[in-house]
Amino acid sequence: MTILKTTGLTKSYQDSIAVDHIDLDIKAGTLVAFLGPNGAGKSTTIKMLTTVLEPSSGTITINNTSDKHRMRESIGIVFQESVLDNELTVRENLDSRAQMYNHISIERVNEVIASVHAQNFSQKPYGALSGGQKRRVDIARALLNKPRLLFLDEPTTGLDIQTRELIWELLTQIQHDEKMTIFLTTHYLEEAEQADDVYIIDHGRIIANGTAAKLKEEHTQNVLLITSGDFEAIINGLTKNIAYHFTPKGLLFNISSVREGITFLNRNIEKINLFEFRQGSMNDVFIKLTGKEIR
Amino acid sequence: MQALTKRNLKLYFRDHSGMFFSLLSALIVLGLYILFLKNGMVKNWQNIPDNKKLLDPWLMGGMLSVTATTTTLTGAAQLVKDKEHQRIDDFLITPVSSFLIHLGYFFSAVLIGLIMQSVVLCVTWIYFASSDNVTLNLGILPQLLGMLLLNSLCASSLNLLIVVFTKRVTTLGTISSIVGTASGFFAGVYIPIGSLPHMAQTLIKLYPGTYSASLYRRILMHDQLISSFRNLPAKELSSFKKMLGIGLEWRGITTASQEITLILAVTLLALLLVCVKVTKLRK
């Protein structure tokens, strides 16, 4: 079942087009990563999908409705920057936001506090929390209205590695418990690896779409780097045309598959002392497609 | 909308320094009056019996006008902070409409103005009662309450009109200092309106807070005006009123009902413009 569908979604300003005819088709219950360099149109797209910004043209359908108000009932957002009030306690923050919805009970506020494990600091002012604790409360806020579709706009930027892992554990658990679809934008490409579906956007257009595995297969090569060995003998012994070049670290081969790499190593077992083998990553996909590093 | 109003009130009353600074203009008005202005004014009107009992409530009127202007601006300023930090987006994704969200900011500003004016009224009342034996008849309370509300509504609507067009907190900081400084002058409390040049008087007459101050003075000074001017010619009374801004001169001297109508009209006009801005212009 499709939870989010857009056709020809466009946002243009007087002298520029921020988002240019984007078509998305997102299946319910999946984790979708939406990647792009800064200024590619990610935030503008998220703003339109979350009904905050009016599209110039195109349609958005969420949970089978295109009515802005009905769409709002099905979505939750964890904003890039925190949107809760520093001066209020965690509970006051969540209560005040809950009261802006029509049918959110006090039990639901307790539920979301429990699901992000925030019971211990629910009476503390939000401003006094650590970065990771704040993020957890932000997630709790987004869960208040039991969204079918949760938008996460760079949810782990600025958090240390342990906290990032903790947040992801939580999100995976919550996604499972609440049967949600997660729409994620991130700067950490390893987070995109676990996505069911990846969209890459640049200059306002979708330039690639597919599973992480498919994108890696299509757009990256495996790299075999011989750092120590008899380079001349290896080159002389090459049976077919394998591309190679010298780098400051050693002799580098682009290998199309893991199997081919193993065969190559076996054949040259006497000539190689040290080597590195690296499979293509989402980072390589990203650089290949957009021509730039994401950070 | 209620939730938002409650939240805004909590934020205002928990920020103690912000609350203090929103009252600063009113406190400066009071300080200047007690330290410098009062002396000169008392000397000027030596011929009027119990002149202190007239001038103290006169100042209270101006102070209340200033208080409403500055505190409701601080209250409404929350909207600019929320716009800058994109908190407004978090409200917009709830089922509450943009119009009701802005109404939430309006109501919280009105309540803040009402509460802070009441505090200022009580404190100055107690202070002047103990220092100059000023007695105010409790019978004026209903009128006063109505005036507190009217003044707060008017100031809130004008300030809301300012903040819906302001995007940056720093810009608003500048606006706040201008409003804070100018409101005392415009309410005619630093210098009585009658002693200003014609040009300045015209400028002051364009400011709605002047009419609020005038209405407050009518209520607060009513009994004392009667008793102080009992044995003086009527001409003295009318020139005194004109000098101190109790009624303002257009083609004649404005009456209380004209002043109320004017304040209501300005309030409605400001709210109408806010409505147009938040419903039509949002892209």
Side-chain angles (χ1 to χ4, degrees):
Chain A
M1 197 195 100
T2 298
I3 182 96
L4 166 68
K5 191 173 172 62
T6 70
T7 47
L9 186 64
T10 302
K11 181 74 194 177
S12 49
Y13 295 100
Q14 276 170 348
D15 48 0
S16 65
I17 297 182
V19 173
D20 192 2
H21 293 88
I22 281 188
D23 300 323
L24 300 173
D25 190 343
I26 286 161
K27 301 271 172 292
T30 54
L31 169 62
V32 178
F34 193 62
L35 311 173
N38 288 331
K42 281 188 312 247
S43 293
T44 313
T45 310
I46 284 237
K47 280 194 169 171
M48 287 191 284
L49 296 179
T50 52
T51 73
V52 173
L53 194 68
E54 201 79 43
S56 308
S57 67
T59 59
I60 303 171
T61 313
I62 292 178
N63 207 9
N64 297 321
T65 178
S66 292
D67 178 69
K68 208 158 75 175
H69 297 282
R70 303 248 331 267
M71 269 159 51
R72 284 176 185 170
E73 290 169 12
S74 324
I75 60 170
I77 313 175
V78 176
F79 289 90
Q80 196 168 337
E81 276 180 45
S82 169
V83 290
L84 296 177
D85 298 309
N86 286 333
E87 299 81 358
L88 304 185
T89 67
V90 170
R91 180 169 285 280
E92 283 173 327
N93 263 305
L94 293 173
D95 280 342
S96 73
R97 304 310 194 267
Q99 283 159 14
M100 295 183 75
Y101 291 86
N102 298 329
H103 310 289
I104 295 182
S105 60
I106 299 172
E107 289 82 63
R108 181 62 188 163
V109 176
N110 293 329
E111 253 173 61
V112 296
I113 289 178
S115 66
V116 300
H117 309 308
Q119 296 96 326
N120 288 338
F121 50 85
S122 67
Q123 298 302 334
K124 271 196 185 176
Y126 179 81
L129 304 181
S130 72
Q133 288 174 329
K134 280 185 183 169
R135 248 334 46 162
R136 276 147 72 187
V137 179
D138 295 343
I139 293 170
R141 151 71 188 98
L143 294 175
L144 276 173
N145 61 324
K146 294 193 176 173
R148 299 283 316 276
L149 175 58
L150 181 66
F151 291 93
L152 299 166
D153 195 1
E154 300 185 9
T156 54
T157 302
L159 299 179
D160 60 39
I161 185 92
Q162 292 92 336
T163 315
R164 267 162 58 193
E165 275 167 15
L166 182 78
I167 297 278
W168 271 108
E169 256 172 55
L170 266 178
L171 284 171
T172 318
Q173 182 66 40
I174 292 164
Q175 187 187 18
H176 179 261
D177 292 349
E178 312 236 349
K179 294 177 185 61
M180 279 182 321
T181 311
I182 292 184
F183 188 95
L184 164 81
T185 76
T186 181
H187 268 178
Y188 299 106
L189 289 162
E190 62 269 24
E191 290 180 352
E193 303 265 0
Q194 51 185 319
D196 302 301
D197 205 1
V198 177
Y199 285 90
I200 298 180
I201 177 176
D202 198 14
H203 302 297
R205 292 181 183 203
I206 302 287
I207 54 171
N209 164 227
T211 60
K214 181 184 159 228
L215 290 178
K216 281 191 284 189
E217 195 190 312
E218 281 176 6
H219 301 286
T220 67
Q221 278 186 314
N222 301 305
V223 169
L224 176 65
L225 180 70
I226 316 289
T227 48
S228 164
D230 187 347
F231 295 160
E232 216 165 301
I234 296 171
I235 294 164
N236 288 335
L238 286 179
T239 47
K240 51 177 172 172
N241 263 352
I242 298 179
Y244 66 89
H245 61 269
F246 285 97
T247 70
K249 282 182 174 174
L251 182 58
L252 188 143
F253 292 93
N254 288 323
I255 306 276
S256 57
S257 71
V258 177
R259 182 170 292 275
E260 196 186 321
I262 297 171
T263 317
F264 181 88
L265 286 169
N266 265 323
R267 201 183 302 129
N268 294 291
I269 197 160
E270 301 294 329
K271 304 167 196 159
I272 295 171
N273 299 328
L274 289 170
F275 74 94
E276 286 171 15
F277 186 80
R278 193 166 64 81
Q279 286 180 276
S281 65
M282 280 309 292
N283 212 21
D284 299 326
V285 174
F286 194 83
I287 293 169
K288 174 85 184 298
L289 287 169
T290 64
K292 47 202 137 181
E293 293 267 1
I294 195 160
R295 270 161 281 198
Chain B
M1 189 189 70
Q2 280 170 330
L4 187 62
T5 306
K6 218 163 88 184
R7 169 227 179 222
N8 290 347
L9 288 177
K10 273 187 194 164
L11 290 178
Y12 176 83
F13 286 106
R14 277 195 199 166
D15 177 9
H16 295 171
S17 64
M19 202 161 79
F20 172 77
F21 281 115
S22 76
L23 273 179
L24 193 61
S25 297
L27 294 175
I28 290 174
V29 164
L30 182 66
L32 281 178
Y33 173 76
I34 294 170
L35 291 173
F36 309 106
L37 301 174
K38 189 176 178 178
N39 238 338
M41 290 173 82
V42 168
K43 270 182 202 150
N44 265 347
W45 281 293
Q46 266 170 344
N47 61 328
I48 302 169
D50 286 333
N51 53 14
K52 275 186 191 168
K53 290 186 181 179
L54 268 180
L55 292 171
D56 291 351
W58 168 81
L59 179 93
M60 285 167 73
M63 242 184 108
L64 288 169
S65 166
V66 172
T67 304
T69 307
T70 56
T71 58
T72 58
L73 180 60
T74 307
Q78 188 62 43
L79 175 63
V80 182
K81 292 183 205 160
D82 291 343
K83 279 196 279 191
E84 188 166 295
H85 291 107
Q86 295 180 345
R87 288 194 199 101
I88 194 93
D89 289 350
D90 191 36
F91 301 139
L92 287 171
I93 58 152
T94 67
V96 184
S97 70
S98 167
F99 173 73
L100 284 179
I101 287 170
H102 285 84
L103 208 59
Y105 287 96
F106 176 67
F107 281 139
S108 48
V110 171
L111 286 172
I112 287 168
L114 210 53
I115 294 167
M116 297 313 276
Q117 282 187 95
S118 307
V119 171
V120 166
L121 178 67
C122 291
V123 172
T124 49
W125 194 329
I126 292 167
Y127 173 77
F128 287 129
S130 63
S131 69
D132 294 330
N133 289 324
V134 170
T135 48
L136 293 171
N137 181 354
L138 286 178
I140 62 172
L141 266 184
Q143 275 179 302
L144 262 183
L145 284 177
M147 199 45 223
L148 292 175
L149 181 65
L150 181 69
N151 190 25
S152 193
L153 280 171
C154 181
S156 300
S157 62
L158 285 172
N159 285 326
L160 193 67
L161 186 61
I162 294 175
V163 295
V164 294
F165 284 99
T166 313
K167 289 198 180 96
R168 301 260 160 254
V169 173
T170 41
T171 318
L172 193 78
T174 315
I175 295 174
S176 293
S177 357
I178 296 172
V179 168
T181 318
S183 62
F185 169 75
F186 276 110
V189 277
Y190 293 142
I191 309 163
I193 181 170
S195 39
L196 289 169
H198 183 73
M199 183 57 193
Q201 287 198 26
T202 315
L203 204 61
I204 283 180
K205 283 179 207 162
L206 296 175
Y207 173 65
T210 311
Y211 300 89
S212 298
S214 162
L215 282 165
Y216 272 126
R217 288 164 188 156
R218 287 176 196 276
I219 301 167
L220 292 166
M221 297 165 76
H222 181 265
D223 292 355
Q224 190 61 44
L225 276 175
I226 293 174
S227 73
S228 286
F229 283 88
R230 190 177 296 135
N231 300 320
L232 292 168
K235 216 177 135 195
E236 287 267 336
L237 177 62
S238 66
S239 86
F240 180 82
K241 280 180 160 181
K242 207 170 133 184
M243 190 71 188
L244 289 184
I246 306 164
L248 291 132
E249 195 175 9
W250 282 104
R251 268 182 199 154
I253 300 289
T254 51
T255 63
S257 59
Q258 280 172 336
E259 288 166 5
I260 292 172
T261 314
L262 187 132
I263 291 171
L264 281 175
V266 168
T267 308
L268 289 176
L269 182 69
L271 284 180
L272 191 72
L273 290 172
V274 170
C275 273
V276 172
K277 160 76 181 156
V278 301
T279 53
K280 292 269 189 287
L281 296 178
R282 189 174 168 86
K283 278 183 186 163

